[in-house]
Amino acid sequence: MSFSSITQTTITPHSQKPLTERTYPKESEVSDAIQRAAKAQKEWKNVALKDRIKIAERFTEEFKKMENEIPLELTLQMGRPVAQNAGEIRGTLERAKYMISIAESSLADVPLTDTDKPGFRRYIRREALGVVLIIAPWNFPYLTSINSVLPALIAGNAVILKPSPQTPLTGERFAQAFYNAGLPKDLLITLHLTPELTQYAVQHHLVNFVSFTGSVAGGRAVERAAAQAKTIKGVALELGGKDPAYVRPDADLQYSVAELVDGAFFNSGQSCCAVERIYVHDSLYDDFVREYAQQVQNYKLGDPTTEGINLGPVVSVASANRIRKQVADAVSQGAKPLIAEDKFPQATPGSAFVAPQVLVDVNHTMEVMTEETFGPVVGIQKVSSDEEALKLMNDSPYGLTASIWSKSAPDSLVENLEFGTVFLNRCDYLDPALAWTGVKDSGRGISLSKFGYDQLTRAKSVHLKSLNP
C-alpha cells in the first residue's frame, strides 16, 4: 500500500497495480465515530444476551453469502492464491460458530451459593468493557478479526475495527454482514487510519480496550501509546513468531514432511504461526531433508488468480527484498540452499515474488534461525537428542507455537517448551476451543476459547446482604 496526506492506496502484490483507495478521516471524525460507538454501547450492553447471540448467528449466515465474492477480492488485496481463500472463509465461520456456542456459559454469572452464609448472596458477573478498538493484520484478515470482533459484540461491547491498509475491504465486509444481520447502528464502525490517527484512537478517552495483531514493533508502538493515554485501558498483543518443529526418531517421515512443508509455505509463509525452523533428529535427518526439498520443488509460483498456482507473491516488494536479504546473509555465513531459484523464474528482483527456499547447515548465529522471516523460507538443523532440540526451540525471543513430530510427546518436552501452544503431529492451526496466546515477544492476552470472553469483559463482584429477619 502507499499513503498520501489524505488517502491510502492498496497495491495488488502480483501486479503492483493500484486496487482501491480510501480517504482518511479527520481527527474530529475519528473522535465522533468513537463517541457514537460509546453511546450505542450504553444501550447494547442492556440488550438480552440471547438477542445478541441471535444477531451473531445471523452474521454467520450473512457472511457465508459472501463466499463467492471474497476469494478473488482477498487475492487481489494480499496475494494468496485464490483457490486457497475458501479455507479462510470456512475457518472464520468455524471460529464464529464455536464462540457463539459457548457465549452463554462463558458470560454467565458465577454464583457462590455453596459458600454463601445465611442472609448473603454473592456472585461474579462478566460485564462489557465499553468500546473495543481492534487493529487487524492483512495476512489472515478475516480469521484474526473474528477472534475478537464477534465475542466483543456478543459480550456487549461496541467495536471500532481498523483493517490493514493492505486489506481495507475486509473491515467493510464485516460491517456489512453484521448490519445485514440486524446489528444496531454504530456498534461496529470500520475506520481507515494513518499511524498518527491510530495512535489518537488508541489514546482516546472513550476507548476502553485495544486488541492489536501484527509485528512486534507495531505492538510496542500500540503499548506505548496506550500507556501514555490519560485513561488507563487494557491492551492485548498478538505479535510475531519464529515457530519451531522437532522431528523425533520415531516420527512418521512421509506424514511429517508433507505437513511441515505446508506448515512452512502456506500463504507464502506469511503467518505468525508458520513453521520457520525445523530440528530433525540425526537418525532421520538425511531422509527428511531429501524428501522435504523434493516436495518444495513441486510448488507452482505465479499469478495467484491463475488456476494451478499454489504459491503466490509476498505482500510487497519491500517484504520480498527483506526476505531475500535474510537468505543471502545466511548463505554468506555458511548455510546451504537446496532449492535452485531458476526453477521459479517469476521470482525476479524488484518483484513481490520470492522463490521458496530450504536452508541446511544453519545455526543460531544466523538471523534466519532467530528472527521472524514471514516468507517462504525454512531452515533445517540436525540435533542429536530431545535435550538439544528443547534448548534450541526455546532459544528465541518468540513463543507462539511449537510442534513435536513423534508417536508421543514426552512430558519433559511439553512442560518445558516456552510457547503459548504445543502441538503433536500438527502445526499452523488455531482450535477455537483452545486459548490462543503467546509468551515472550509473541505478545500477551488471549483470544478464542472461554478465556477470549474473559479478555473482552471485566469481572464485577456482587455482594448482597439481606436485612429481612
Side-chain angles (χ1 to χ4, degrees):
M1 65 280 185
S2 63
F3 300 95
S4 73
S5 59
I6 57 171
T7 63
Q8 69 179 31
T9 302
T10 300
I11 304 297
T12 296
H14 73 273
S15 68
Q16 291 298 293
K17 294 180 179 178
L19 174 66
T20 188
E21 283 191 353
R22 292 294 180 272
T23 300
Y24 293 124
K26 298 176 182 177
E27 192 174 281
S28 60
E29 292 171 322
V30 175
S31 183
D32 177 68
I34 295 171
Q35 290 179 59
R36 287 187 283 113
K39 181 179 179 180
Q41 191 271 334
K42 298 298 184 185
E43 294 185 14
W44 176 242
K45 70 177 183 178
N46 293 320
V47 171
L49 176 58
K50 63 180 179 61
D51 293 327
R52 300 199 300 261
I53 290 173
K54 286 179 181 178
I55 289 176
E57 289 171 338
R58 290 198 293 269
F59 159 80
T60 64
E61 299 168 1
E62 293 296 330
F63 187 75
K64 194 173 190 313
K65 292 177 184 178
M66 301 174 178
E67 64 183 351
N68 294 324
E69 304 167 9
I70 287 176
L72 179 59
E73 182 179 274
L74 188 54
T75 293
L76 294 175
Q77 290 175 91
M78 51 77 65
R80 186 188 307 135
V82 67
Q84 297 173 359
N85 286 335
E88 180 154 2
I89 298 169
R90 288 194 302 271
T92 299
L93 290 171
E94 176 191 18
R95 295 181 192 182
K97 290 176 181 179
Y98 180 79
M99 295 305 287
I100 290 169
S101 74
I102 66 167
E104 191 169 355
S105 61
S106 299
L107 296 169
D109 291 348
V110 179
L112 300 175
T113 309
D114 291 345
T115 57
D116 279 342
K117 296 177 181 179
F120 287 86
R121 179 183 170 222
R122 299 167 302 152
Y123 59 91
I124 301 169
R125 173 160 292 173
R126 304 305 308 184
E127 291 212 336
L129 298 174
V131 176
V132 176
L133 170 62
I134 297 173
I135 304 172
W138 53 265
N139 57 327
F140 288 97
Y142 291 110
L143 279 173
T144 52
S145 296
I146 200 66
N147 294 354
S148 297
V149 171
L150 181 134
L153 289 169
I154 290 177
N157 298 290
V159 171
I160 302 293
L161 176 59
K162 181 209 170 294
S164 165
Q166 190 66 46
T167 50
L169 304 180
T170 59
E172 295 164 17
R173 287 282 186 186
F174 263 120
Q176 179 186 351
F178 266 109
Y179 287 124
N180 287 349
L183 185 72
K185 183 181 178 182
D186 291 333
L187 286 169
L188 173 56
I189 299 176
T190 297
L191 293 178
H192 304 288
L193 304 175
T194 63
E196 294 78 15
L197 285 173
T198 300
Q199 178 174 318
Y200 174 78
V202 168
Q203 295 182 329
H204 197 282
H205 69 284
L206 291 177
V207 168
N208 304 100
F209 188 83
V210 182
S211 175
F212 172 86
T213 303
S215 68
V216 173
R220 291 190 191 281
V222 167
E223 187 172 45
R224 281 195 299 270
Q228 293 167 1
K230 293 181 179 180
T231 53
I232 295 174
K233 60 196 69 191
V235 178
L237 304 172
E238 183 191 327
L239 309 178
K242 189 70 181 177
D243 290 5
Y246 170 38
V247 183
R248 299 185 76 228
D250 65 346
D252 182 316
L253 181 65
Q254 297 300 324
Y255 172 81
S256 300
V257 167
E259 291 293 306
L260 285 169
V261 167
D262 184 65
F265 292 94
F266 185 81
N267 202 36
S268 296
Q270 298 170 120
S271 171
C272 57
C273 57
V275 175
E276 294 203 0
R277 50 194 176 113
I278 303 174
Y279 304 98
V280 183
H281 193 273
D282 55 17
S283 62
L284 282 181
Y285 180 81
D286 290 341
D287 289 341
F288 181 93
V289 167
R290 182 178 60 255
E291 292 288 336
Y292 197 96
Q294 185 174 0
Q295 288 198 25
V296 172
Q297 289 176 10
N298 292 330
Y299 271 101
K300 304 297 182 184
L301 176 69
D303 182 339
T305 66
T306 302
E307 186 177 353
I309 294 298
N310 58 4
L311 195 67
V314 295
V315 69
S316 67
V317 173
S319 181
N321 291 340
R322 178 187 54 77
I323 295 164
R324 293 190 188 101
K325 183 179 186 304
Q326 193 183 68
V327 172
D329 287 348
V331 172
S332 70
Q333 292 175 269
K336 179 182 177 182
L338 299 184
I339 309 300
E341 290 195 13
D342 59 11
K343 290 181 177 290
F344 302 93
Q346 300 87 351
T348 57
S351 77
F353 289 99
V354 177
Q357 190 53 267
V358 179
L359 297 171
V360 294
D361 298 339
V362 292
N363 58 62
H364 280 221
T365 67
M366 301 173 184
E367 188 178 279
V368 77
M369 294 298 284
T370 60
E371 288 298 328
E372 190 171 33
T373 302
F374 224 65
V377 178
V378 69
I380 306 178
Q381 186 170 347
K382 184 188 299 185
V383 296
S384 60
S385 66
D386 287 356
E387 292 73 21
E388 183 182 7
L390 176 64
K391 181 179 179 181
L392 290 169
M393 293 169 87
N394 284 339
D395 181 27
S396 172
Y398 303 101
L400 193 53
T401 80
S403 58
I404 302 166
W405 302 80
S406 174
K407 292 180 180 177
S408 63
D411 289 343
S412 60
L413 285 176
V414 174
E415 293 175 1
N416 291 294
L417 281 166
E418 299 167 355
F419 295 85
T421 298
V422 177
F423 294 108
L424 176 67
N425 297 323
R426 86 177 308 178
C427 59
D428 194 26
Y429 177 77
L430 276 68
D431 182 334
L434 294 173
W436 184 243
T437 186
V439 300
K440 299 189 276 191
D441 281 355
S442 287
R444 67 162 183 264
I446 296 172
S447 63
L448 300 176
S449 80
K450 171 196 181 301
F451 299 102
Y453 279 108
D454 288 351
Q455 175 170 277
L456 295 164
T457 55
R458 66 179 180 87
K460 174 188 275 187
S461 293
V462 181
H463 192 154
L464 308 175
K465 179 180 179 181
S466 175
L467 296 181
N468 294 328

